Structure formats: C-alpha cells, structure tokens
Amino acid sequence: GQDSIYKRTGLVIPAKILEVNIKDIIGDELKKFFRPELINRIDSVMMFNPLKEEDMPKIVSIELETTFDRLRSQGYIPTATKNLLNYLSEVGYNKEFGARPLKRAISEKVENKLAESVINKTIKSDEEIIFDFKSGVVTIENKKPTVKKKKN
C-alpha cells in the first residue's frame, strides 16, 4: 500500500487517492478474469488494512466477552488475566489469516476447559472465576471470597 509506494519512490500519496486508484486497478483486474455476469453481481470492493499482532489483545478481549456473557447469564463472574490474553493473542494470530484461528483457540483452550470445570463442579456460580495461563496450561479457578471479620 502507501508504505511500500513511499519506500520505493519517496512519494507521499494521500490515502483517499490511493484507495480510489487501487479500487480502479482491482476492478480492471476482475474484468480480465471474470465474466460480466459475475462482475455485475459484485456490489462493491472494500479495502482492508492487514491485521497487526498488536491489535490481537483487543480482539481477544472482544471474543472472550461472548463466552463471558454466557457465563454471566448463568451466575458466574468471569475474569481473564493478562497472561491468558497474551497467550490467546499468540495462538490466535496468523500472519496470513489474521484473527481467524482465534475462535478455534478460544473454543479449544478456554471453552473446553470451562466445560470440564462445570461438569466436574470445580467452579461455583456467584463467585469470581479467574481464567489464567500458567506453566503452559490454561487454568480456571474460583477466587475465594474474602470474609471480613466484624470488629467488636
């Protein structure tokens, strides 16, 4: 995109102009390979910037919220540690596919472990549940509520 043009030529091209020109080029290339009947079915061409690794923790948080919302509706109070977010960011990112592997990673690493914990009754509702990554393993533990002693 714009960065590679700048590196090769030293020219700075406004993003809007660059986007319009690239859309024209893509449209021309589509016409070379596809029949007009198919091209007429394409409503628009959208440009996306590639996903960066530093975007992953935010995406992981958004995806985990879906699972955590289901847990909250059943009376659980879930919390994810920074270690877990970093781990899922690593295993859920692929330079070629972006964040597509993330849902599978959450399903395999977090939701499967969660299902085992619910079935084995190792976690309890109405208590905070800590999702963590320790020693190469995803862990799920109840955080014991602190009992405050009454002063006499």
Side-chain angles (χ1 to χ4, degrees):
Q2 189 170 5
D3 292 339
S4 63
I5 290 172
Y6 178 74
K7 286 177 186 171
R8 284 187 272 150
T9 65
L11 296 173
V12 176
I13 301 172
K16 195 69 173 169
I17 292 172
L18 184 63
E19 184 177 322
V20 170
N21 289 337
I22 290 175
K23 282 185 179 183
D24 290 343
I25 292 168
I26 290 172
D28 293 342
E29 291 299 313
L30 286 173
K31 288 176 187 171
K32 290 180 186 176
F33 291 99
F34 297 108
R35 298 176 62 125
E37 295 85 4
L38 177 62
I39 291 175
N40 286 336
R41 293 181 178 262
I42 298 173
D43 293 329
S44 65
V45 175
M46 296 179 67
M47 304 298 294
F48 291 95
N49 294 323
L51 184 64
K52 298 175 186 153
E53 269 186 87
E54 54 265 19
D55 299 327
M56 286 303 294
K58 184 171 175 87
I59 295 169
V60 169
S61 295
I62 292 168
E63 288 297 325
L64 272 180
E65 274 306 304
T66 304
T67 300
F68 286 1
D69 285 342
R70 286 187 309 217
L71 283 173
R72 286 184 197 102
S73 72
Q74 297 174 10
Y76 295 96
I77 307 165
T79 303
T81 64
K82 194 120 179 118
N83 286 344
L84 180 68
L85 296 178
N86 291 338
Y87 169 68
L88 290 173
S89 293
E90 276 182 35
V91 298
Y93 176 77
N94 180 296
K95 189 170 183 152
E96 185 177 346
F97 297 114
R100 287 192 189 113
L102 179 59
K103 285 191 182 208
R104 185 177 305 116
I106 290 174
S107 177
E108 291 174 1
K109 311 290 184 189
V110 176
E111 292 176 352
N112 287 351
K113 190 83 166 177
L114 175 62
E116 289 174 15
S117 297
V118 170
I119 290 170
N120 296 333
K121 298 181 181 175
T122 56
I123 59 172
K124 299 175 186 168
S125 60
D126 298 325
E127 290 183 8
E128 187 176 9
I129 302 169
I130 308 296
F131 290 78
D132 199 358
F133 182 72
K134 299 177 191 173
S135 304
V137 178
V138 173
T139 62
I140 302 174
E141 300 170 349
N142 272 83
K143 180 178 179 181
K144 305 297 180 204
T146 55
V147 179
K148 293 182 181 179
K149 294 182 180 181
K150 291 183 179 179
K151 294 183 180 180
N152 292 336

